[in-house]
Amino acid sequence: FPRGRETEQEAHLVVAGRLVSDPTSTIARLGLAGAVDFLGRYPQAEAPAVFRRAHVLLHTKVNDPCPTTVIEAMACGVPVAYAASGGTVELVGDDAGVGVPHPDGFERDEPPEPDALARAVLAVLAERERYAAAARERAVVRFALSDWLARHAALFAELAPPASPLRGP
């Protein structure tokens, strides 16, 4: 598999959120200066605009139980390349992105190999329109907020019915 920017001269990585270490030296060593943008933290209201900048979400967290980032990206029509473990597999399904296998287990996080993640990104980009449409449809059909609120309201009503004014709490 070809490595480096030679394969995708127009590729640009956008990193949003908090970083735990300074990537400057790694970016310089890899010759990626100018190919990576760091947005830092952003308010939730700006999330759709952040996601709409992307052609694909690269979600590398292994065993992520229920990553809302993935749902938010799909709601914006952004397909996902991801570590195939945890809840991400169920959220994305077979049509909204490409999962990458990696060593399974909870003793330590072992993410997929970088080349395998790169191949997943390229696979999504090769059929981006199809994956993007499927991502948006999946988010709308399976993760609509109104449905989530209705399910939770019914569950709360069943498990903790309102107190009767005659009985008290």
Side-chain angles (χ1 to χ4, degrees), residues 3-6 13 23-36 114:
R3 298 181 65 94
R5 291 200 65 206
E6 308 82 44
L13 179 64
T24 307
S25 63
T26 302
I27 289 170
R29 180 175 48 82
L30 295 173
L32 297 175
V36 182

Side-chain angles (χ1 to χ4, degrees), residues 131-146:
Y131 280 115
R136 173 70 180 153
E137 180 178 350
R138 187 167 180 87
V140 168
V141 170
R142 296 191 57 148
F143 306 113
L145 181 59
S146 58

Side-chain angles (χ1 to χ4, degrees), residues 52-71:
R52 287 188 186 110
R53 290 181 61 177
H55 290 94
V56 61
L57 172 70
L58 177 59
H59 188 70
T60 60
K61 173 71 176 121
V62 301
N63 294 319
D64 202 343
C66 187
T68 56
T69 298
V70 168
I71 297 170

Side-chain angles (χ1 to χ4, degrees), residues 49-103:
V50 170
F51 286 117
R52 287 188 186 110
R53 290 181 61 177
H55 290 94
V56 61
L57 172 70
L58 177 59
H59 188 70
T60 60
K61 173 71 176 121
V62 301
N63 294 319
D64 202 343
C66 187
T68 56
T69 298
V70 168
I71 297 170
E72 291 171 350
M74 292 188 324
C76 292
V78 178
V80 185
Y82 61 96
S85 61
T88 309
V89 177
E90 184 179 347
L91 296 177
V92 177
D94 295 330
D95 299 323
V98 174
V100 180
H102 60 90

